[in-house]
Amino acid sequence: MNSAGILADAFERIHEAVHAAVDGLTPEDLDARLDDDANSVAWLVWHLTRVQDDHIADAAGTEQIWFAQDWASRFELPLEKGSTGYGHSSAQVGSVQASADLLLGYFDAVSDYTLDFVRGLDGRALDRVVDDSWSPPVTLGVRLVSVIADDLQHAGQAAFVRGVLERR
């Protein structure tokens, strides 16, 4: 398996984990928070999707799916249009409310775009610097691994919240 295949496999696993965490949840389940400052499943999935969308679009030199397919208007969130969730207050986390269909629709669109992007990469492309504000500069390969790690962490958190809700 080449590097593009490994990356595609990792992003496919994120797809499976996100769907397992969200499928069949009611809007109330998606919005539930285990305490006043906890993240909901809706926020976790929205956030991991927004970050993936932001980072992949930047690396590919394209517009984010959030804007290109007008997901920002569909979600109707009381947040800045370009918000990805970084630094959100508890109130902002609570303001991210969406149905399973909306969350998974946006996630699937970003996932499909991501898979098309990574399947077209070769090993040389992964060495391209995509962010020189860090020391050492961040390469595309490092950025993609970072997105994978972040997405899997948040998908796992969403699965945990789902599990707690199912035991109530």
Side-chain angles (χ1 to χ4, degrees):
M1 181 181 292
N2 62 21
S3 55
I6 291 168
L7 291 166
D9 182 71
F11 281 105
E12 288 167 353
R13 291 173 191 230
I14 294 165
H15 186 272
E16 292 168 10
V18 166
H19 274 265
V22 173
D23 282 335
L25 290 182
T26 66
E28 294 78 22
D29 292 335
L30 290 164
D31 297 340
R33 298 169 78 182
L34 301 182
D35 68 35
D36 292 340
D37 291 321
N39 297 325
S40 66
V41 172
W43 185 88
L44 288 162
V45 171
W46 171 83
H47 169 65
L48 75 84
T49 309
R50 287 293 300 122
V51 170
Q52 183 175 329
D53 189 8
D54 174 78
H55 287 19
I56 299 301
D58 182 60
T62 60
E63 186 177 20
Q64 294 176 31
I65 300 297
W66 183 249
F67 299 112
Q69 297 181 9
D70 201 28
W71 289 97
S73 294
R74 293 187 227 183
F75 271 77
E76 299 179 334
L77 299 177
L79 303 167
E80 290 185 28
K81 291 271 187 196
S83 179
T84 63
Y86 280 125
H88 269 187
S89 67
S90 181
Q92 289 170 312
V93 168
S95 75
V96 176
Q97 299 180 352
S99 68
D101 287 344
L102 188 62
L103 285 167
L104 292 176
Y106 175 47
F107 173 79
D108 287 347
V110 170
S111 180
D112 290 346
Y113 182 80
T114 299
L115 286 167
D116 286 345
F117 175 70
V118 299
R119 287 181 178 132
L121 297 174
D122 62 26
R124 292 181 311 279
L126 298 177
D127 292 332
R128 177 174 57 92
V129 172
V130 294
D131 187 348
D132 60 9
S133 66
W134 295 88
S135 181
V138 177
T139 64
L140 177 58
V142 169
R143 176 59 46 87
L144 292 172
V145 169
S146 177
V147 171
I148 291 165
D150 190 63
D151 281 4
L152 287 172
Q153 180 179 19
H154 290 315
Q157 292 167 346
F160 173 80
V161 173
R162 179 188 181 116
V164 170
L165 294 173
E166 288 176 346
R167 286 167 180 66
R168 284 187 173 175

